[in-house]
Amino acid sequence: MTAVPVAVLASGGGTNLQALLDALRDSTVARVARVVASGADAGALERARRSGVPTAVLAHPDDPDEVVTATGGARLVVLAGYLKRIPPAAVARLRWRVINIHPALLPAFGGPGMYGRRVHQAVLASGVALTGATVHYVDEEYDRGPIIAQWPVPVRPDDTPETLAARVLAVEHRLLPQVVIELARLGVPEKPVRLSASGSAFLVADQPSVRVGE
Ligand code: GRF
């Protein structure tokens, strides 16, 4: 079996990229084939170089041709802390092959302007008892595409945006590689799939025999 090539798009430090690089290093199911940054200052680029993964920096992140070309024909495109909008024409060409990780339980606490610390501030201000991480398909609207998998994280009474962000990020680092491996194992289906957690495994909702890690 040839490992499914995955392109990772990032704008920031790239700890989720690192989680993918670590999890997929010896995988026969999926491999990080390239890393694409929205700016030359993205820390993710250095992480890619350290792992020997080819990199690209987008000169025009709003140019659909440039975005699609930069993904280099990868079967799956993962947005991991990517802060630019994927141009709708690129979304259309990569339909159900682009996924994003968001540090809250969508559809709550998502949408334009909801990123980074602001998400956790809004969660704390709302008084909810539960937050978490969501991996979802990217469509034409920010944070609105079909949900693939979620992992809940309790909010503690003494949480600050920083403590909450750290606890959610630790969960992101586990959730994202599992989802990528599972989608790759399924051959990156042409229709959206939903994975549900069961113990340490993720089950495809309508195919309960498919498990991560087996
Ligand atoms: C993560 O919280 C992710 O959910 C969000 O941006 C952050 C990226 O962090 N989309 P990193 O660059 O992977 O460390």
Side-chain angles (χ1 to χ4, degrees), residues 9-19 43-44 47 79-83 100-104 114-117 119-120 132-134 143 165 168-169 172-173 176:
L9 273 60
S11 301
T15 65
N16 276 290
L17 165 66
Q18 191 66 53
R47 293 181 190 272
L79 310 189
Y82 185 71
L83 295 176
N100 178 51
I101 184 148
H102 185 80
M114 266 301 183
Y115 59 88
R117 192 175 195 275
V119 176
H120 306 292
T134 301
D143 298 331
V168 171
L169 191 61
E172 293 181 48
H173 295 163
L176 186 59

PDB file of all heavy atoms in Angstrom, residues 9-19 43-44 47 79-83 100-104 114-117 119-120 132-134 143 165 168-169 172-173 176, ligand 1:
ATOM      1  N   LEU A   9      -1.187  22.839   5.456  1.00  0.00           N
ATOM      2  CA  LEU A   9      -1.108  24.291   5.321  1.00  0.00           C
ATOM      3  C   LEU A   9      -1.099  24.911   6.707  1.00  0.00           C
ATOM      4  O   LEU A   9      -1.942  24.562   7.551  1.00  0.00           O
ATOM      5  CB  LEU A   9      -2.315  24.834   4.528  1.00  0.00           C
ATOM      6  CG  LEU A   9      -2.176  24.873   3.003  1.00  0.00           C
ATOM      7  CD1 LEU A   9      -1.938  23.502   2.431  1.00  0.00           C
ATOM      8  CD2 LEU A   9      -3.400  25.514   2.360  1.00  0.00           C
ATOM      9  N   ALA A  10      -0.166  25.814   6.943  1.00  0.00           N
ATOM     10  CA  ALA A  10      -0.030  26.403   8.274  1.00  0.00           C
ATOM     11  C   ALA A  10       0.366  27.869   8.163  1.00  0.00           C
ATOM     12  O   ALA A  10       0.972  28.289   7.164  1.00  0.00           O
ATOM     13  CB  ALA A  10       1.020  25.637   9.077  1.00  0.00           C
ATOM     14  N   SER A  11       0.011  28.626   9.194  1.00  0.00           N
ATOM     15  CA  SER A  11       0.413  30.032   9.246  1.00  0.00           C
ATOM     16  C   SER A  11       1.287  30.321  10.454  1.00  0.00           C
ATOM     17  O   SER A  11       1.947  31.353  10.511  1.00  0.00           O
ATOM     18  CB  SER A  11      -0.828  30.944   9.336  1.00  0.00           C
ATOM     19  OG  SER A  11      -1.674  30.766   8.243  1.00  0.00           O
ATOM     20  N   GLY A  12       1.240  29.436  11.454  1.00  0.00           N
ATOM     21  CA  GLY A  12       1.877  29.754  12.733  1.00  0.00           C
ATOM     22  C   GLY A  12       2.988  28.801  13.105  1.00  0.00           C
ATOM     23  O   GLY A  12       3.722  28.294  12.258  1.00  0.00           O
ATOM     24  N   GLY A  13       3.042  28.529  14.402  1.00  0.00           N
ATOM     25  CA  GLY A  13       4.144  27.750  14.955  1.00  0.00           C
ATOM     26  C   GLY A  13       4.158  26.299  14.527  1.00  0.00           C
ATOM     27  O   GLY A  13       5.194  25.657  14.508  1.00  0.00           O
ATOM     28  N   GLY A  14       2.973  25.767  14.251  1.00  0.00           N
ATOM     29  CA  GLY A  14       2.936  24.428  13.666  1.00  0.00           C
ATOM     30  C   GLY A  14       3.044  23.274  14.636  1.00  0.00           C
ATOM     31  O   GLY A  14       3.585  22.217  14.287  1.00  0.00           O
ATOM     32  N   THR A  15       2.479  23.409  15.851  1.00  0.00           N
ATOM     33  CA  THR A  15       2.543  22.250  16.753  1.00  0.00           C
ATOM     34  C   THR A  15       1.644  21.127  16.256  1.00  0.00           C
ATOM     35  O   THR A  15       1.945  19.952  16.468  1.00  0.00           O
ATOM     36  CB  THR A  15       2.194  22.610  18.216  1.00  0.00           C
ATOM     37  OG1 THR A  15       0.833  23.022  18.304  1.00  0.00           O
ATOM     38  CG2 THR A  15       3.118  23.688  18.743  1.00  0.00           C
ATOM     39  N   ASN A  16       0.545  21.461  15.590  1.00  0.00           N
ATOM     40  CA  ASN A  16      -0.290  20.395  15.012  1.00  0.00           C
ATOM     41  C   ASN A  16       0.423  19.726  13.845  1.00  0.00           C
ATOM     42  O   ASN A  16       0.317  18.513  13.660  1.00  0.00           O
ATOM     43  CB  ASN A  16      -1.646  20.944  14.573  1.00  0.00           C
ATOM     44  CG  ASN A  16      -2.626  21.005  15.725  1.00  0.00           C
ATOM     45  OD1 ASN A  16      -3.086  19.970  16.202  1.00  0.00           O
ATOM     46  ND2 ASN A  16      -2.919  22.203  16.200  1.00  0.00           N
ATOM     47  N   LEU A  17       1.140  20.520  13.066  1.00  0.00           N
ATOM     48  CA  LEU A  17       1.974  19.921  12.013  1.00  0.00           C
ATOM     49  C   LEU A  17       2.969  18.952  12.647  1.00  0.00           C
ATOM     50  O   LEU A  17       3.160  17.827  12.152  1.00  0.00           O
ATOM     51  CB  LEU A  17       2.731  21.013  11.245  1.00  0.00           C
ATOM     52  CG  LEU A  17       3.889  20.487  10.389  1.00  0.00           C
ATOM     53  CD1 LEU A  17       3.382  19.619   9.251  1.00  0.00           C
ATOM     54  CD2 LEU A  17       4.744  21.640   9.869  1.00  0.00           C
ATOM     55  N   GLN A  18       3.591  19.372  13.745  1.00  0.00           N
ATOM     56  CA  GLN A  18       4.579  18.501  14.394  1.00  0.00           C
ATOM     57  C   GLN A  18       3.940  17.196  14.846  1.00  0.00           C
ATOM     58  O   GLN A  18       4.535  16.117  14.703  1.00  0.00           O
ATOM     59  CB  GLN A  18       5.202  19.230  15.598  1.00  0.00           C
ATOM     60  CG  GLN A  18       6.404  18.511  16.160  1.00  0.00           C
ATOM     61  CD  GLN A  18       7.567  18.490  15.170  1.00  0.00           C
ATOM     62  OE1 GLN A  18       7.980  19.521  14.664  1.00  0.00           O
ATOM     63  NE2 GLN A  18       8.091  17.302  14.874  1.00  0.00           N
ATOM     64  N   ALA A  19       2.730  17.298  15.375  1.00  0.00           N
ATOM     65  CA  ALA A  19       2.022  16.079  15.816  1.00  0.00           C
ATOM     66  C   ALA A  19       1.815  15.143  14.624  1.00  0.00           C
ATOM     67  O   ALA A  19       1.960  13.918  14.745  1.00  0.00           O
ATOM     68  CB  ALA A  19       0.696  16.445  16.465  1.00  0.00           C
ATOM     69  N   GLY A  43       6.523  29.358  11.665  1.00  0.00           N
ATOM     70  CA  GLY A  43       7.430  28.410  12.332  1.00  0.00           C
ATOM     71  C   GLY A  43       7.278  26.997  11.793  1.00  0.00           C
ATOM     72  O   GLY A  43       8.204  26.175  11.886  1.00  0.00           O
ATOM     73  N   ALA A  44       6.119  26.726  11.213  1.00  0.00           N
ATOM     74  CA  ALA A  44       5.860  25.398  10.654  1.00  0.00           C
ATOM     75  C   ALA A  44       6.894  25.044   9.577  1.00  0.00           C
ATOM     76  O   ALA A  44       7.229  23.867   9.389  1.00  0.00           O
ATOM     77  CB  ALA A  44       4.454  25.362  10.061  1.00  0.00           C
ATOM     78  N   ARG A  47       9.879  23.366  11.059  1.00  0.00           N
ATOM     79  CA  ARG A  47       9.560  21.988  11.475  1.00  0.00           C
ATOM     80  C   ARG A  47       9.573  21.058  10.261  1.00  0.00           C
ATOM     81  O   ARG A  47      10.044  19.920  10.335  1.00  0.00           O
ATOM     82  CB  ARG A  47       8.182  21.948  12.129  1.00  0.00           C
ATOM     83  CG  ARG A  47       8.107  22.688  13.456  1.00  0.00           C
ATOM     84  CD  ARG A  47       6.707  22.574  14.021  1.00  0.00           C
ATOM     85  NE  ARG A  47       6.477  23.424  15.163  1.00  0.00           N
ATOM     86  CZ  ARG A  47       6.721  23.093  16.432  1.00  0.00           C
ATOM     87  NH1 ARG A  47       7.234  21.911  16.702  1.00  0.00           N
ATOM     88  NH2 ARG A  47       6.479  23.927  17.407  1.00  0.00           N
ATOM     89  N   LEU A  79      -5.541  21.784   7.027  1.00  0.00           N
ATOM     90  CA  LEU A  79      -5.262  23.121   7.531  1.00  0.00           C
ATOM     91  C   LEU A  79      -4.963  22.987   9.020  1.00  0.00           C
ATOM     92  O   LEU A  79      -5.821  22.560   9.799  1.00  0.00           O
ATOM     93  CB  LEU A  79      -6.465  24.056   7.329  1.00  0.00           C
ATOM     94  CG  LEU A  79      -7.087  24.112   5.925  1.00  0.00           C
ATOM     95  CD1 LEU A  79      -8.117  25.246   5.859  1.00  0.00           C
ATOM     96  CD2 LEU A  79      -6.036  24.266   4.845  1.00  0.00           C
ATOM     97  N   ALA A  80      -3.746  23.329   9.399  1.00  0.00           N
ATOM     98  CA  ALA A  80      -3.331  23.180  10.793  1.00  0.00           C
ATOM     99  C   ALA A  80      -2.833  24.540  11.276  1.00  0.00           C
ATOM    100  O   ALA A  80      -1.654  24.859  11.159  1.00  0.00           O
ATOM    101  CB  ALA A  80      -2.236  22.121  10.906  1.00  0.00           C
ATOM    102  N   GLY A  81      -3.780  25.341  11.756  1.00  0.00           N
ATOM    103  CA  GLY A  81      -3.415  26.697  12.151  1.00  0.00           C
ATOM    104  C   GLY A  81      -3.168  27.574  10.938  1.00  0.00           C
ATOM    105  O   GLY A  81      -2.271  28.409  10.927  1.00  0.00           O
ATOM    106  N   TYR A  82      -3.978  27.366   9.914  1.00  0.00           N
ATOM    107  CA  TYR A  82      -3.867  28.161   8.686  1.00  0.00           C
ATOM    108  C   TYR A  82      -4.894  29.286   8.772  1.00  0.00           C
ATOM    109  O   TYR A  82      -6.098  29.016   8.898  1.00  0.00           O
ATOM    110  CB  TYR A  82      -4.130  27.286   7.460  1.00  0.00           C
ATOM    111  CG  TYR A  82      -3.919  27.992   6.153  1.00  0.00           C
ATOM    112  CD1 TYR A  82      -2.631  28.319   5.723  1.00  0.00           C
ATOM    113  CD2 TYR A  82      -4.995  28.330   5.341  1.00  0.00           C
ATOM    114  CE1 TYR A  82      -2.437  28.967   4.514  1.00  0.00           C
ATOM    115  CE2 TYR A  82      -4.802  28.976   4.127  1.00  0.00           C
ATOM    116  CZ  TYR A  82      -3.514  29.295   3.723  1.00  0.00           C
ATOM    117  OH  TYR A  82      -3.321  29.937   2.527  1.00  0.00           O
ATOM    118  N   LEU A  83      -4.433  30.525   8.728  1.00  0.00           N
ATOM    119  CA  LEU A  83      -5.322  31.645   9.050  1.00  0.00           C
ATOM    120  C   LEU A  83      -5.923  32.344   7.832  1.00  0.00           C
ATOM    121  O   LEU A  83      -6.746  33.231   7.974  1.00  0.00           O
ATOM    122  CB  LEU A  83      -4.572  32.675   9.909  1.00  0.00           C
ATOM    123  CG  LEU A  83      -4.169  32.151  11.294  1.00  0.00           C
ATOM    124  CD1 LEU A  83      -3.358  33.199  12.043  1.00  0.00           C
ATOM    125  CD2 LEU A  83      -5.400  31.739  12.099  1.00  0.00           C
ATOM    126  N   ASN A 100      -9.903  20.885   8.391  1.00  0.00           N
ATOM    127  CA  ASN A 100      -9.365  21.916   9.275  1.00  0.00           C
ATOM    128  C   ASN A 100      -9.534  21.471  10.711  1.00  0.00           C
ATOM    129  O   ASN A 100     -10.486  20.758  11.033  1.00  0.00           O
ATOM    130  CB  ASN A 100     -10.137  23.222   9.056  1.00  0.00           C
ATOM    131  CG  ASN A 100      -9.668  24.348   9.972  1.00  0.00           C
ATOM    132  OD1 ASN A 100      -8.475  24.633  10.060  1.00  0.00           O
ATOM    133  ND2 ASN A 100     -10.608  24.991  10.662  1.00  0.00           N
ATOM    134  N   ILE A 101      -8.613  21.905  11.565  1.00  0.00           N
ATOM    135  CA  ILE A 101      -8.810  21.663  13.003  1.00  0.00           C
ATOM    136  C   ILE A 101      -9.095  22.984  13.695  1.00  0.00           C
ATOM    137  O   ILE A 101      -8.446  23.997  13.420  1.00  0.00           O
ATOM    138  CB  ILE A 101      -7.623  20.921  13.650  1.00  0.00           C
ATOM    139  CG1 ILE A 101      -7.943  20.628  15.125  1.00  0.00           C
ATOM    140  CG2 ILE A 101      -6.310  21.667  13.500  1.00  0.00           C
ATOM    141  CD1 ILE A 101      -7.340  19.369  15.666  1.00  0.00           C
ATOM    142  N   HIS A 102     -10.108  22.946  14.560  1.00  0.00           N
ATOM    143  CA  HIS A 102     -10.562  24.152  15.256  1.00  0.00           C
ATOM    144  C   HIS A 102     -10.597  23.866  16.765  1.00  0.00           C
ATOM    145  O   HIS A 102     -11.070  22.798  17.170  1.00  0.00           O
ATOM    146  CB  HIS A 102     -11.965  24.529  14.751  1.00  0.00           C
ATOM    147  CG  HIS A 102     -12.450  25.812  15.335  1.00  0.00           C
ATOM    148  ND1 HIS A 102     -12.057  27.044  14.852  1.00  0.00           N
ATOM    149  CD2 HIS A 102     -13.274  26.066  16.382  1.00  0.00           C
ATOM    150  CE1 HIS A 102     -12.635  28.000  15.568  1.00  0.00           C
ATOM    151  NE2 HIS A 102     -13.379  27.427  16.507  1.00  0.00           N
ATOM    152  N   PRO A 103     -10.159  24.839  17.581  1.00  0.00           N
ATOM    153  CA  PRO A 103     -10.028  24.558  19.015  1.00  0.00           C
ATOM    154  C   PRO A 103     -11.298  24.805  19.829  1.00  0.00           C
ATOM    155  O   PRO A 103     -11.251  25.441  20.879  1.00  0.00           O
ATOM    156  CB  PRO A 103      -8.894  25.499  19.440  1.00  0.00           C
ATOM    157  CG  PRO A 103      -9.049  26.673  18.539  1.00  0.00           C
ATOM    158  CD  PRO A 103      -9.561  26.135  17.225  1.00  0.00           C
ATOM    159  N   ALA A 104     -12.433  24.314  19.353  1.00  0.00           N
ATOM    160  CA  ALA A 104     -13.695  24.399  20.101  1.00  0.00           C
ATOM    161  C   ALA A 104     -14.641  23.371  19.502  1.00  0.00           C
ATOM    162  O   ALA A 104     -14.329  22.742  18.478  1.00  0.00           O
ATOM    163  CB  ALA A 104     -14.302  25.796  20.013  1.00  0.00           C
ATOM    164  N   MET A 114     -12.841  34.127  14.841  1.00  0.00           N
ATOM    165  CA  MET A 114     -12.754  33.195  15.976  1.00  0.00           C
ATOM    166  C   MET A 114     -11.537  32.305  15.803  1.00  0.00           C
ATOM    167  O   MET A 114     -11.627  31.213  15.222  1.00  0.00           O
ATOM    168  CB  MET A 114     -14.012  32.328  16.043  1.00  0.00           C
ATOM    169  CG  MET A 114     -15.072  32.852  16.940  1.00  0.00           C
ATOM    170  SD  MET A 114     -14.528  33.037  18.652  1.00  0.00           S
ATOM    171  CE  MET A 114     -16.078  33.582  19.316  1.00  0.00           C
ATOM    172  N   TYR A 115     -10.413  32.779  16.279  1.00  0.00           N
ATOM    173  CA  TYR A 115      -9.208  31.953  16.217  1.00  0.00           C
ATOM    174  C   TYR A 115      -8.338  32.282  17.426  1.00  0.00           C
ATOM    175  O   TYR A 115      -8.517  33.312  18.088  1.00  0.00           O
ATOM    176  CB  TYR A 115      -8.431  32.181  14.907  1.00  0.00           C
ATOM    177  CG  TYR A 115      -7.991  33.597  14.707  1.00  0.00           C
ATOM    178  CD1 TYR A 115      -6.766  34.043  15.220  1.00  0.00           C
ATOM    179  CD2 TYR A 115      -8.800  34.500  14.042  1.00  0.00           C
ATOM    180  CE1 TYR A 115      -6.360  35.349  15.060  1.00  0.00           C
ATOM    181  CE2 TYR A 115      -8.402  35.820  13.885  1.00  0.00           C
ATOM    182  CZ  TYR A 115      -7.183  36.238  14.392  1.00  0.00           C
ATOM    183  OH  TYR A 115      -6.801  37.540  14.252  1.00  0.00           O
ATOM    184  N   GLY A 116      -7.434  31.382  17.707  1.00  0.00           N
ATOM    185  CA  GLY A 116      -6.462  31.600  18.773  1.00  0.00           C
ATOM    186  C   GLY A 116      -7.124  31.871  20.121  1.00  0.00           C
ATOM    187  O   GLY A 116      -8.148  31.275  20.475  1.00  0.00           O
ATOM    188  N   ARG A 117      -6.551  32.814  20.861  1.00  0.00           N
ATOM    189  CA  ARG A 117      -6.989  33.120  22.224  1.00  0.00           C
ATOM    190  C   ARG A 117      -8.464  33.527  22.280  1.00  0.00           C
ATOM    191  O   ARG A 117      -9.151  33.272  23.267  1.00  0.00           O
ATOM    192  CB  ARG A 117      -6.104  34.256  22.717  1.00  0.00           C
ATOM    193  CG  ARG A 117      -6.186  34.536  24.183  1.00  0.00           C
ATOM    194  CD  ARG A 117      -5.164  35.607  24.554  1.00  0.00           C
ATOM    195  NE  ARG A 117      -4.984  35.635  26.006  1.00  0.00           N
ATOM    196  CZ  ARG A 117      -5.775  36.318  26.808  1.00  0.00           C
ATOM    197  NH1 ARG A 117      -6.768  37.036  26.333  1.00  0.00           N
ATOM    198  NH2 ARG A 117      -5.564  36.295  28.127  1.00  0.00           N
ATOM    199  N   VAL A 119     -11.017  32.406  20.851  1.00  0.00           N
ATOM    200  CA  VAL A 119     -11.931  31.270  20.977  1.00  0.00           C
ATOM    201  C   VAL A 119     -12.087  30.914  22.453  1.00  0.00           C
ATOM    202  O   VAL A 119     -13.201  30.784  22.970  1.00  0.00           O
ATOM    203  CB  VAL A 119     -11.405  30.048  20.203  1.00  0.00           C
ATOM    204  CG1 VAL A 119     -12.303  28.838  20.418  1.00  0.00           C
ATOM    205  CG2 VAL A 119     -11.254  30.364  18.719  1.00  0.00           C
ATOM    206  N   HIS A 120     -10.978  30.778  23.126  1.00  0.00           N
ATOM    207  CA  HIS A 120     -11.005  30.332  24.525  1.00  0.00           C
ATOM    208  C   HIS A 120     -11.572  31.420  25.429  1.00  0.00           C
ATOM    209  O   HIS A 120     -12.266  31.124  26.408  1.00  0.00           O
ATOM    210  CB  HIS A 120      -9.607  29.875  24.939  1.00  0.00           C
ATOM    211  CG  HIS A 120      -9.053  28.839  24.003  1.00  0.00           C
ATOM    212  ND1 HIS A 120      -9.587  27.575  23.915  1.00  0.00           N
ATOM    213  CD2 HIS A 120      -8.088  28.912  23.049  1.00  0.00           C
ATOM    214  CE1 HIS A 120      -8.941  26.897  22.973  1.00  0.00           C
ATOM    215  NE2 HIS A 120      -8.031  27.690  22.442  1.00  0.00           N
ATOM    216  N   GLY A 132     -13.637  21.808  23.444  1.00  0.00           N
ATOM    217  CA  GLY A 132     -12.987  20.658  22.828  1.00  0.00           C
ATOM    218  C   GLY A 132     -12.331  21.029  21.523  1.00  0.00           C
ATOM    219  O   GLY A 132     -12.037  22.199  21.267  1.00  0.00           O
ATOM    220  N   ALA A 133     -12.088  20.015  20.716  1.00  0.00           N
ATOM    221  CA  ALA A 133     -11.461  20.206  19.412  1.00  0.00           C
ATOM    222  C   ALA A 133     -12.357  19.573  18.354  1.00  0.00           C
ATOM    223  O   ALA A 133     -12.996  18.549  18.604  1.00  0.00           O
ATOM    224  CB  ALA A 133     -10.084  19.551  19.384  1.00  0.00           C
ATOM    225  N   THR A 134     -12.388  20.211  17.193  1.00  0.00           N
ATOM    226  CA  THR A 134     -13.210  19.727  16.077  1.00  0.00           C
ATOM    227  C   THR A 134     -12.349  19.620  14.824  1.00  0.00           C
ATOM    228  O   THR A 134     -11.606  20.551  14.505  1.00  0.00           O
ATOM    229  CB  THR A 134     -14.366  20.706  15.776  1.00  0.00           C
ATOM    230  OG1 THR A 134     -15.181  20.852  16.935  1.00  0.00           O
ATOM    231  CG2 THR A 134     -15.216  20.217  14.597  1.00  0.00           C
ATOM    232  N   ASP A 143     -15.437  27.661   9.112  1.00  0.00           N
ATOM    233  CA  ASP A 143     -15.765  26.780  10.250  1.00  0.00           C
ATOM    234  C   ASP A 143     -17.163  26.160  10.164  1.00  0.00           C
ATOM    235  O   ASP A 143     -17.746  25.804  11.190  1.00  0.00           O
ATOM    236  CB  ASP A 143     -15.644  27.541  11.590  1.00  0.00           C
ATOM    237  CG  ASP A 143     -14.226  28.031  11.849  1.00  0.00           C
ATOM    238  OD1 ASP A 143     -13.280  27.383  11.364  1.00  0.00           O
ATOM    239  OD2 ASP A 143     -14.071  29.048  12.538  1.00  0.00           O
ATOM    240  N   ALA A 165      -6.512  26.832  26.498  1.00  0.00           N
ATOM    241  CA  ALA A 165      -5.890  26.636  25.176  1.00  0.00           C
ATOM    242  C   ALA A 165      -4.898  25.480  25.222  1.00  0.00           C
ATOM    243  O   ALA A 165      -4.853  24.648  24.307  1.00  0.00           O
ATOM    244  CB  ALA A 165      -5.180  27.912  24.740  1.00  0.00           C
ATOM    245  N   VAL A 168      -6.769  22.129  25.381  1.00  0.00           N
ATOM    246  CA  VAL A 168      -7.403  21.805  24.092  1.00  0.00           C
ATOM    247  C   VAL A 168      -6.323  21.440  23.064  1.00  0.00           C
ATOM    248  O   VAL A 168      -6.487  20.481  22.301  1.00  0.00           O
ATOM    249  CB  VAL A 168      -8.267  22.985  23.587  1.00  0.00           C
ATOM    250  CG1 VAL A 168      -8.750  22.739  22.163  1.00  0.00           C
ATOM    251  CG2 VAL A 168      -9.453  23.205  24.527  1.00  0.00           C
ATOM    252  N   LEU A 169      -5.218  22.168  23.074  1.00  0.00           N
ATOM    253  CA  LEU A 169      -4.163  21.901  22.088  1.00  0.00           C
ATOM    254  C   LEU A 169      -3.609  20.483  22.249  1.00  0.00           C
ATOM    255  O   LEU A 169      -3.344  19.796  21.261  1.00  0.00           O
ATOM    256  CB  LEU A 169      -3.046  22.938  22.226  1.00  0.00           C
ATOM    257  CG  LEU A 169      -2.005  22.968  21.099  1.00  0.00           C
ATOM    258  CD1 LEU A 169      -2.644  23.295  19.751  1.00  0.00           C
ATOM    259  CD2 LEU A 169      -0.901  23.979  21.415  1.00  0.00           C
ATOM    260  N   GLU A 172      -5.939  18.345  20.508  1.00  0.00           N
ATOM    261  CA  GLU A 172      -5.802  18.507  19.048  1.00  0.00           C
ATOM    262  C   GLU A 172      -4.680  17.624  18.523  1.00  0.00           C
ATOM    263  O   GLU A 172      -4.796  17.003  17.463  1.00  0.00           O
ATOM    264  CB  GLU A 172      -5.492  19.962  18.695  1.00  0.00           C
ATOM    265  CG  GLU A 172      -6.615  20.937  18.987  1.00  0.00           C
ATOM    266  CD  GLU A 172      -6.225  22.348  18.574  1.00  0.00           C
ATOM    267  OE1 GLU A 172      -5.727  22.530  17.456  1.00  0.00           O
ATOM    268  OE2 GLU A 172      -6.424  23.270  19.377  1.00  0.00           O
ATOM    269  N   HIS A 173      -3.576  17.596  19.282  1.00  0.00           N
ATOM    270  CA  HIS A 173      -2.403  16.837  18.814  1.00  0.00           C
ATOM    271  C   HIS A 173      -2.669  15.340  18.745  1.00  0.00           C
ATOM    272  O   HIS A 173      -1.957  14.618  18.060  1.00  0.00           O
ATOM    273  CB  HIS A 173      -1.209  17.108  19.745  1.00  0.00           C
ATOM    274  CG  HIS A 173      -0.746  18.525  19.692  1.00  0.00           C
ATOM    275  ND1 HIS A 173       0.056  19.090  20.653  1.00  0.00           N
ATOM    276  CD2 HIS A 173      -0.988  19.506  18.785  1.00  0.00           C
ATOM    277  CE1 HIS A 173       0.294  20.349  20.340  1.00  0.00           C
ATOM    278  NE2 HIS A 173      -0.324  20.628  19.205  1.00  0.00           N
ATOM    279  N   LEU A 176      -6.023  15.106  15.593  1.00  0.00           N
ATOM    280  CA  LEU A 176      -5.747  15.353  14.172  1.00  0.00           C
ATOM    281  C   LEU A 176      -5.044  14.170  13.495  1.00  0.00           C
ATOM    282  O   LEU A 176      -5.504  13.712  12.432  1.00  0.00           O
ATOM    283  CB  LEU A 176      -4.957  16.660  14.010  1.00  0.00           C
ATOM    284  CG  LEU A 176      -4.727  17.103  12.565  1.00  0.00           C
ATOM    285  CD1 LEU A 176      -6.042  17.312  11.816  1.00  0.00           C
ATOM    286  CD2 LEU A 176      -3.894  18.389  12.521  1.00  0.00           C
TER     287      LEU A 176
HETATM  288  C1  GRF B   1      -4.711  25.370  16.808  1.00  0.00           C
HETATM  289  O1  GRF B   1      -5.345  25.689  18.013  1.00  0.00           O
HETATM  290  C2  GRF B   1      -5.738  25.032  15.748  1.00  0.00           C
HETATM  291  O2  GRF B   1      -6.888  24.449  16.256  1.00  0.00           O
HETATM  292  C3  GRF B   1      -6.064  26.388  15.192  1.00  0.00           C
HETATM  293  O3  GRF B   1      -4.860  27.089  15.206  1.00  0.00           O
HETATM  294  C4  GRF B   1      -3.992  26.565  16.214  1.00  0.00           C
HETATM  295  C5  GRF B   1      -2.714  26.209  15.539  1.00  0.00           C
HETATM  296  O4  GRF B   1      -1.698  25.909  16.414  1.00  0.00           O
HETATM  297  N1  GRF B   1      -6.701  26.273  13.909  1.00  0.00           N
HETATM  298  P1  GRF B   1      -0.341  25.307  15.842  1.00  0.00           P
HETATM  299  O5  GRF B   1       0.226  26.282  14.817  1.00  0.00           O
HETATM  300  O6  GRF B   1      -0.635  23.970  15.248  1.00  0.00           O
HETATM  301  O7  GRF B   1       0.541  25.212  17.049  1.00  0.00           O
END
